[in-house]
Amino acid sequence: MPEYKLVYFNGRGRAELTRWIFAYGGIPYIDERYEKEEWPEKKKTISGGKLPVLIVDGKTLPQSLAIARFAAKKAGIVPDDDLEAAYCDALADTLFELIPEAYKILMSEKSEEEKKKLLREEFFPDKVYPITTRLEKRFEEKQWFVADKITWADLAIGMVIGAMLRVDSESFDKFPALVAHVNKVQDLPKIKEWLEKRPKTKF
C-alpha cells in the first residue's frame, strides 16, 4: 500500500476535506501539521512552497481539490459516470470558493456582532443562498448528490455547509432538506469518529 503524508497547517482549512475522505475510506495516512511560526523554515522543504500537499511515496501532489479528488478515487467515492464525476468536481470547486470569502469575515478585526451582520446581510444572501437553494431542491428529491450512493461531493457538502451551520445555524432554517443531509453525512460512523477525535482548532 502506498504511504500517504498530508501536509498542512494545524487547522482544518483546505486540507480537511481530504482528511474526511481518508477517514471515510479507512485509508491510513500521516497527518503532518505545521504551526504558523514554523512555516517560514518549513516552506523551504515544500515543493512549490504552498500548502496543502499530499506526499505519495515521496512524490508531491499540490492543490487541495486535486488532492481531495485523488483521495476520493482511492476511497471509491468518485462516480464511474464521467458526467456525474464532473458534477462532483464542479460542486467541490463552487463550495471551496466560499471558504476564503468566509474567512475574510470571520478572521477580520470586526466585532462578533459585526461579523454576524455581514454574514446574514451580505455573505449568505449573495454567495451562499444561490447554492443552498439548488441543493435544497436536490435533496428534497434525492438521497445523495448524484447517482444513488455517496460521493465525495456529499462529504464536501457535509464539511463546508456544516461549518457554516456551526457559525450561524439559524440562517439555514429555510433549507431543512440540506441541513438533514449535512447531519446524515456527519453521522456516518467513520466521519463521526473523525469529528470526535480530530484536533480542536479555531479554523
Side-chain angles (χ1 to χ4, degrees):
M1 176 177 286
E3 180 181 87
Y4 301 119
K5 181 192 290 187
L6 181 63
V7 185
Y8 193 57
F9 300 107
N10 186 24
R12 298 184 297 273
R14 290 184 170 272
E16 188 66 9
L17 179 56
T18 297
R19 296 184 185 122
W20 281 42
I21 293 167
F22 278 148
Y24 179 83
I27 299 171
Y29 71 104
I30 298 166
D31 187 13
E32 187 163 303
R33 295 166 180 250
Y34 296 157
E35 299 297 338
K36 293 285 187 182
E37 55 271 20
E38 294 180 275
W39 178 234
E41 194 60 32
K42 295 287 189 182
K43 184 175 182 178
K44 301 172 187 175
T45 69
I46 299 295
S47 177
K50 292 183 179 180
L51 297 179
V53 296
L54 180 67
I55 301 174
V56 184
D57 288 339
K59 297 177 181 178
T60 301
L61 175 65
Q63 294 292 339
S64 54
L65 287 176
I67 294 167
R69 193 176 299 112
F70 172 87
K73 287 182 179 178
K74 298 300 180 183
I77 50 174
V78 173
D80 293 329
D81 181 87
D82 288 342
L83 184 57
E84 290 179 348
Y87 285 142
C88 291
D89 292 347
L91 180 69
D93 287 341
T94 300
L95 291 175
F96 263 54
E97 286 171 358
L98 298 174
I99 294 175
E101 297 289 335
Y103 278 10
K104 282 179 190 175
I105 297 171
L106 296 172
M107 299 180 74
S108 71
E109 298 297 320
K110 298 180 186 297
S111 69
E112 292 305 310
E113 185 177 334
E114 288 175 314
K115 290 177 185 178
K116 183 162 280 192
K117 188 171 187 289
L118 276 173
L119 289 172
R120 288 187 168 183
E121 295 183 5
E122 296 181 23
F123 179 65
F124 289 150
D126 296 344
K127 306 288 187 180
V128 179
Y129 290 166
I131 300 165
T132 54
T133 298
R134 295 196 299 273
L135 290 174
E136 177 69 15
K137 290 178 181 177
R138 183 175 290 259
F139 291 124
E140 286 173 349
E141 301 172 355
K142 298 174 68 71
Q143 183 179 5
W144 301 106
F145 177 67
V146 294
D148 57 354
K149 62 181 181 178
I150 190 170
T151 64
W152 70 294
D154 295 293
L155 298 187
I157 293 166
M159 189 197 82
V160 177
I161 304 300
M164 294 180 191
L165 284 167
R166 286 197 304 274
V167 171
D168 186 3
S169 61
E170 291 179 8
S171 290
F172 293 84
D173 285 348
K174 59 185 177 181
F175 305 109
L178 174 58
V179 171
H181 187 75
V182 169
N183 292 335
K184 179 175 70 174
V185 169
Q186 294 191 356
D187 282 339
L188 293 165
K190 290 180 179 178
I191 298 300
K192 188 173 183 179
E193 180 185 2
W194 168 247
L195 293 177
E196 289 171 352
K197 76 178 186 180
R198 70 183 178 182
K200 303 295 186 237
T201 57
K202 187 174 181 181
F203 291 104

